[in-house]
Amino acid sequence: MDYTVLLICAEGNKDWERVASYIKKKGYLVMTASSVKKAIGILGKNQINIVIFDYNMPKVNTLSFLRKIKTEWPSVEVIFLCKHPSLTKGIEVMKAGAYDFYEFPVNHRLLITIIEKAIEKQSLYIQKIALERKIEKNINLGNVVGRSKSMQTVMEIVRSVAPKNANILLTGETGTGKEMIASLIHHNSLRYSGPFIKINCAAFSEGVLESELFGHEKGAFTGAITKRLGRFELSHKGTIFLDEVGDMPLSMQIKLLRVLQEKEFERVGGTETIKVDIRVIAATHQNLDNLIEEGKFRKDLYYRLNVVHIDLPPLRERKDDIPVLVSTFINKFNEEKDYNMGGITKETMQILLNYSWPGNVRELENALESAMALSKSDVVEAKYLPSFLLLTQPKDINFYQLSQDLTLNEMENEIIKFTLEKTEGNKSKAARLLGIGLRTLQRKVKEM
């Protein structure tokens, strides 16, 4: 492959002419420009690999020109040569995106070595961009089903961030598919060949969670009879999925923050510092803003996790997806369990569409699996659905029949009474129909 080097320097400079001649002898194509305007024209019409720029050119805003190059031609590497260089000048251009900064005149052999290393860096950048575009174009949405506008928005974000290396925070109610989205992102990222390690932060006590995340040394505590690698160590070169991160104790949040900032940690009972290369995807059904206000979640940790935020909508807000999800689950269970279901009846579908689905997609999947297991025909009939789906739903109440003199609190009490009557006093079913938690219903009943 022919590589092209663009020299930007004043005309008639013998030192720069010798530089150009030496670079040509080493097999590179060389182009020259005596002004920024001419350089921009060359960059716009030619495939330039390396720009070597005379830092001392008069009437040139060096940093502005460098930023323009890195914005419009980000793969181009820029090397500055400067008479009477200073540390301040070097730091300025390196921060703005220059590849290197050297004193001029420069040793010609050293300059060729710098060019070779810059081209190597450029090649890696081009390969990375090409792979990201390939992944973005061919991203496999797997089992994620949704034709609603809200889910299409989610998928657009997933397509965009999957090839990147940014940390991601997934929010949404229980059962909306946060783990599935996390897995989808990992398997369509540059880390797809690395491990995808999952942990539910709410499933362990504080002491156990620390060992699960960071591992422990032999003898670190009673029962630690062998050394154990933690989830972070196992996630090296891959992705770790921290589910229900909102339930993590504050003391553990501090340790997690250090891993995110420094990419290092120590095992419990150990002194060796372990460095890791990981991508973190966190998920929670809780409102972290509220937890921060209550002092239960660290704001600095929130910012580290929430580089990209994806909020998964509840199923009740995307009813258009229910028919597609039903078809997907029927096909899934037909294959997994050797059923031979051809679909569902219109009555069954209407019941599924009318229900509020507080348990979201997971609850819908479980309901269909139950109905298919009980069914004695080749279609899912309404009578085989779980009993809570067959009850009259609260939204069917004609609220205008309630007395106009009732306060809002009294109207709420009437609706709760009506629902409890329909569920024959079963508070769990009533809470599910009302779309509230069982404890909330129990409290309201007690207040009534």
Side-chain angles (χ1 to χ4, degrees):
M1 179 179 176
D2 293 329
Y3 294 101
T4 303
V5 178
L6 173 62
L7 300 182
I8 306 175
C9 56
E11 288 182 322
N13 188 311
K14 298 299 181 183
D15 288 333
W16 278 88
E17 287 176 1
R18 283 190 284 271
V19 168
S21 177
Y22 190 80
I23 294 174
K24 285 179 182 178
K25 286 181 182 179
K26 292 299 178 179
Y28 294 96
L29 300 176
V30 177
M31 303 182 77
T32 59
S34 57
S35 69
V36 166
K37 184 177 180 180
K38 291 179 180 179
I40 291 173
I42 292 172
L43 284 162
K45 297 177 181 178
N46 301 271
Q47 183 64 48
I48 303 298
N49 299 97
I50 306 296
V51 167
I52 302 180
F53 192 12
D54 182 0
Y55 186 90
N56 303 107
M57 281 188 72
K59 299 180 181 180
V60 175
N61 187 326
T62 304
L63 293 180
S64 177
F65 179 52
L66 173 59
R67 292 189 183 104
K68 182 176 179 62
I69 291 177
K70 298 309 291 183
T71 299
E72 297 191 19
W73 303 281
S75 66
V76 174
E77 296 296 343
V78 183
I79 299 167
F80 282 95
L81 300 182
C82 177
K83 287 183 179 180
H84 315 299
S86 68
L87 182 61
T88 302
K89 293 175 183 177
I91 291 173
E92 279 183 347
V93 296
M94 296 296 283
K95 280 186 174 180
Y99 176 76
D100 225 327
F101 182 84
Y102 275 88
E103 184 176 10
F104 187 81
V106 65
N107 180 286
H108 290 173
R109 290 183 180 179
L110 173 61
L111 182 58
I112 294 300
T113 300
I114 297 169
I115 291 172
E116 289 173 349
K117 290 182 177 179
I119 287 174
E120 182 179 348
K121 179 187 174 186
Q122 182 188 63
S123 298
L124 292 172
Y125 175 82
I126 292 172
Q127 290 174 20
K128 177 177 176 290
I129 295 300
L131 183 56
E132 286 180 355
R133 288 174 179 169
K134 182 178 179 181
I135 289 174
E136 188 170 342
K137 180 180 178 181
N138 299 315
I139 187 169
N140 176 15
L141 298 184
N143 294 322
V144 178
V145 177
R147 63 187 180 191
S148 63
K149 185 177 180 179
S150 56
M151 280 306 293
Q152 290 301 314
T153 299
V154 167
M155 286 301 99
E156 282 303 310
I157 299 174
V158 169
R159 286 180 189 276
S160 177
V161 303
K164 310 300 192 301
N165 202 36
N167 292 340
I168 296 171
L169 177 65
L170 302 174
T171 57
E173 296 178 5
T174 300
T176 49
K178 295 186 287 293
E179 182 178 328
M180 184 168 60
I181 293 293
S183 177
L184 176 68
I185 291 170
H186 168 74
H187 289 101
N188 288 280
S189 73
L190 299 176
R191 297 174 176 269
Y192 70 92
S193 60
F196 177 62
I197 304 297
K198 302 173 285 186
I199 182 170
N200 188 325
C201 300
F204 302 96
S205 63
E206 183 174 344
V208 176
L209 181 60
E210 182 176 9
S211 176
E212 287 289 331
L213 289 174
F214 306 118
H216 61 252
E217 298 290 351
K218 180 180 179 180
F221 50 82
T222 304
I225 57 176
T226 60
K227 179 177 77 173
R228 181 180 181 184
L229 304 185
R231 306 292 177 96
F232 275 108
E233 202 166 345
L234 294 172
S235 303
H236 184 57
K237 297 293 183 182
T239 303
I240 186 168
F241 175 53
L242 303 175
D243 197 10
E244 300 302 349
V245 72
D247 293 289
M248 182 178 286
L250 281 170
S251 60
M252 287 301 301
Q253 292 178 31
I254 297 172
K255 296 176 181 178
L256 173 58
L257 182 63
R258 183 201 168 193
V259 179
L260 296 180
Q261 290 175 331
E262 310 296 334
K263 305 294 184 184
E264 63 183 33
F265 61 92
E266 290 81 38
R267 299 189 193 101
V268 177
T271 56
E272 177 191 0
T273 298
I274 300 163
K275 293 187 175 293
V276 287
D277 174 14
I278 55 171
R279 180 187 201 173
V280 176
I281 302 178
T284 181
H285 72 281
Q286 300 195 64
N287 187 317
L288 292 186
D289 289 324
N290 291 344
L291 292 182
I292 290 171
E293 289 182 8
E294 296 169 6
K296 297 179 180 178
F297 201 85
R298 294 180 63 94
K299 184 180 290 188
D300 47 5
L301 175 59
Y302 173 76
Y303 291 136
R304 287 283 179 176
L305 294 173
N306 193 29
V307 177
V308 177
H309 182 201
I310 302 177
D311 186 51
L312 299 182
L315 188 54
R316 64 180 173 274
E317 293 180 6
R318 55 184 186 104
K319 293 290 186 74
D320 290 350
D321 291 338
I322 289 178
V324 186
L325 286 164
V326 168
S327 177
T328 299
F329 291 140
I330 287 176
N331 291 334
K332 173 187 175 181
F333 294 130
N334 278 343
E335 183 176 344
E336 288 182 358
K337 304 180 184 299
D338 200 26
Y339 295 150
N340 189 29
M341 290 286 176
I344 68 173
T345 65
K346 289 183 179 180
E347 180 189 4
T348 306
M349 179 61 76
Q350 193 57 53
I351 292 173
L352 298 180
L353 290 170
N354 287 343
Y355 185 55
S356 61
W357 299 109
N360 294 294
V361 178
R362 187 181 301 153
E363 186 180 21
L364 172 62
E365 182 178 8
N366 291 342
L368 278 172
E369 183 176 10
S370 173
M372 290 176 71
L374 294 170
S375 182
K376 297 178 182 178
S377 64
D378 59 357
V379 292
V380 179
E381 298 179 50
K383 62 183 178 181
Y384 297 117
L385 290 171
S387 58
F388 67 84
L389 284 170
L390 303 179
L391 299 168
T392 302
Q393 298 178 55
K395 74 172 194 174
D396 292 333
I397 303 172
N398 184 349
F399 295 107
Y400 295 104
Q401 292 180 355
L402 295 173
S403 171
Q404 300 296 310
D405 298 327
L406 295 178
T407 65
L408 183 62
N409 185 58
E410 289 170 338
M411 289 178 69
E412 181 184 74
N413 291 344
E414 289 299 314
I415 294 169
I416 290 173
K417 289 177 184 177
F418 178 89
T419 307
L420 285 170
E421 288 175 6
K422 289 296 182 181
T423 61
E424 298 178 347
N426 188 316
K427 291 188 178 66
S428 296
K429 290 181 180 179
R432 197 180 298 120
L433 287 169
L434 290 165
I436 62 177
L438 177 58
R439 290 184 180 179
T440 301
L441 178 60
Q442 290 173 333
R443 175 176 55 80
K444 289 181 178 294
V445 169
K446 187 176 181 181
E447 291 172 355
M448 288 164 61

